[in-house]
Amino acid sequence: MSESFVRTNHAPERMPPNAHIGVVRWMRENLFSSWFNACLTIFSIVLLFLTLPPLLDWAIFSAVFSGEDGAACRVDGAGACWAFVEAKFGQFLFGRYPAEERWRVLLTLFLGVAGLAPLLIPSEFPKKWFVAYLLVPFPLLAFVFLSGGLFGLATVETSDWGGLMVTLVVAVTGIAASLPLGVLLALGRQSDMPVVRILCVVFIEFWRGVPLITVLFMSSVMLPLFLPEGMSFDKLLRALIGVALFSSAYMAEVVRGGLAAVPAGQYEAAKALGLTYWQSMGRIVLPQALKTVIPGIVNNFIGLFKDTTLVLIIGLFDLLGIVQSNFTDPTWSSPQTATTGYVFAAFVFWIFCFGMSRYSVYMERRLDAGEQR
């Protein structure tokens, strides 16, 4: 007869192996999970080792942060000439906008952020009122504050605008106009009415068939030749109209992709509920289509923001243009002035583009939250 053995106490607890916890585990899973990933990790470490120290030395340790002129940056071994950026910072932001009137630009920026912020963050605010504010009162207020000529405000010609101010004016106008126009063009392209469909197709294909630089050139040089004698539009206004129409054609194709991704059952369900065309589009189809193409929409916005640098060819000085124009200032001539200016402009563009990219990722996760549950 066999005798069974039953253990009367628990075995002592032991820690898992070091290779399965903490930093070692994270490195095994994220950096050395395969031989290919291990090679990429080693290559990246070597690349950082070769590039990061000289970059930090140029940008920080050997950089010149203060000085009255370029002589401070012309010493041997000097790195980035941040003193040049500090001295020209006002021009980089406002161009030749009069210094005593720059408060109007800042006030316009505050009014815009005050209307846009409630739309970007999850809140219980009635968003439709903020949308209406941004579409009608804000553009009028911005025009009055920036241009002047009313309510005792001094007139500032658009030829004196420049820097980041022009970059934001062109980009925000293009973004704000391209989304609603793109939606209407995408719906028109799918319309059952042949005239509407053909007009939308011709519009989209025409603007997609020419580069933006040609659009800006035509709006600045060729369009005034076709206007009656004595009639002229502001150069910046012509550029804004051209950018808005150009970007709306690309946006229409992005939205059309989203409409095609909505299952046919959603259209049929809307009809079964007795909804009108605009009710079904506004409440059922378009929300799904726009959610599907958020990456494409933001990609268009980022591309448009970077394309604002092309306004330099028609004599408008955006951020990059105003930075380049200051390179000719003999007071700040030094071997590092141009490089520092380009790095500063690139950093500013990167902040805005990266911010838009991260916000789109946030919105994708937030809108998908209900489907993940």
Side-chain angles (χ1 to χ4, degrees):
M1 182 174 180
S2 62
E3 183 177 355
S4 62
F5 172 77
V6 177
R7 191 167 188 162
T8 57
N9 57 340
H10 293 289
E13 296 183 355
R14 294 184 297 178
M15 294 292 293
N18 291 332
H20 293 79
I21 59 173
V23 178
V24 176
R25 176 186 177 184
W26 183 89
M27 292 178 64
R28 288 187 60 184
E29 293 181 350
N30 297 278
L31 302 179
F32 302 98
S33 57
S34 66
W35 68 268
F36 183 72
N37 289 342
C39 291
L40 285 179
T41 300
I42 295 173
F43 175 77
S44 300
I45 293 174
V46 173
L47 187 63
L48 289 174
F49 179 77
L50 294 176
T51 59
L52 199 56
L55 178 62
L56 292 176
D57 180 64
W58 178 84
I60 299 176
F61 302 118
S62 298
V64 178
F65 291 94
S66 62
E68 298 296 330
D69 51 35
C73 303
R74 287 196 290 269
V75 298
D76 293 336
C81 186
W82 297 118
F84 163 72
V85 176
E86 180 187 10
K88 302 292 185 180
F89 192 71
Q91 289 191 32
F92 292 168
L93 294 184
F94 304 102
R96 290 180 295 175
Y97 208 90
E100 63 277 7
E101 303 292 338
R102 289 175 180 174
W103 64 270
R104 290 154 50 179
V105 182
L106 298 177
L107 179 59
T108 303
L109 178 64
F110 172 78
L111 294 175
V113 172
L116 185 62
L119 299 179
L120 298 181
I121 58 176
S123 65
E124 299 300 327
F125 292 115
K127 297 184 183 299
K128 62 180 181 181
W129 294 111
F130 289 97
V131 173
Y133 162 75
L134 290 175
L135 290 179
V136 182
F138 174 69
L140 297 176
L141 290 173
F143 177 77
V144 171
F145 280 126
L146 296 179
S147 299
L150 296 174
F151 308 114
L153 298 175
T155 302
V156 180
E157 301 293 339
T158 56
S159 57
D160 293 332
W161 299 11
L164 184 61
M165 171 186 170
V166 164
T167 299
L168 291 178
V169 167
V170 176
V172 171
T173 303
I175 290 172
S178 65
L179 185 57
L181 286 177
V183 170
L184 292 176
L185 288 169
L187 294 176
R189 188 161 187 165
Q190 292 188 332
S191 174
D192 295 330
M193 295 182 286
V195 175
V196 175
R197 185 173 63 252
I198 292 173
L199 288 177
C200 292
V201 170
V202 170
F203 180 91
I204 293 171
E205 298 303 331
F206 171 78
W207 290 99
R208 292 177 67 203
V210 293
L212 179 57
I213 194 171
T214 304
V215 174
L216 294 173
F217 181 77
M218 290 289 291
S219 66
S220 175
V221 180
M222 300 300 295
L223 182 60
L225 301 178
F226 298 99
L227 295 177
E229 187 176 357
M231 178 181 290
S232 178
F233 295 104
D234 184 81
K235 182 188 295 184
L236 179 59
L237 178 60
R238 296 199 299 267
L240 292 177
I241 294 174
V243 169
L245 296 178
F246 180 86
S247 56
S248 65
Y250 281 87
M251 186 61 68
E253 289 302 278
V254 174
V255 176
R256 187 169 69 92
L259 292 174
V262 177
Q266 297 295 314
Y267 293 87
E268 296 168 356
K271 290 181 180 178
L273 291 173
L275 299 180
T276 64
Y277 173 80
W278 291 109
Q279 286 176 332
S280 61
M281 286 296 164
R283 297 182 179 182
I284 297 179
V285 178
L286 273 178
Q288 298 182 63
L290 295 178
K291 188 188 76 171
T292 303
V293 294
I294 284 178
I297 292 174
V298 177
N299 195 43
N300 258 23
F301 290 166
I302 292 175
L304 176 61
F305 188 85
K306 292 187 290 186
D307 285 344
T308 56
T309 57
L310 294 176
V311 298
L312 181 62
I313 67 166
I314 59 172
L316 297 175
F317 291 90
D318 71 317
L319 174 62
L320 183 60
I322 207 72
V323 169
Q324 288 178 321
S325 67
N326 278 281
F327 294 162
T328 59
D329 185 355
T331 306
W332 284 97
S333 175
S334 79
Q336 300 296 334
T337 299
T339 306
T340 307
Y342 282 126
V343 170
F344 172 76
F347 182 68
V348 173
F349 274 93
W350 180 82
I351 288 176
F352 281 94
C353 296
F354 184 73
M356 285 189 279
S357 173
R358 290 296 90 191
Y359 183 75
S360 74
V361 172
Y362 163 74
M363 286 302 297
E364 287 182 63
R365 292 176 178 171
R366 181 165 174 262
L367 294 176
D368 279 343
E371 298 179 2
Q372 293 172 356
R373 282 197 291 268

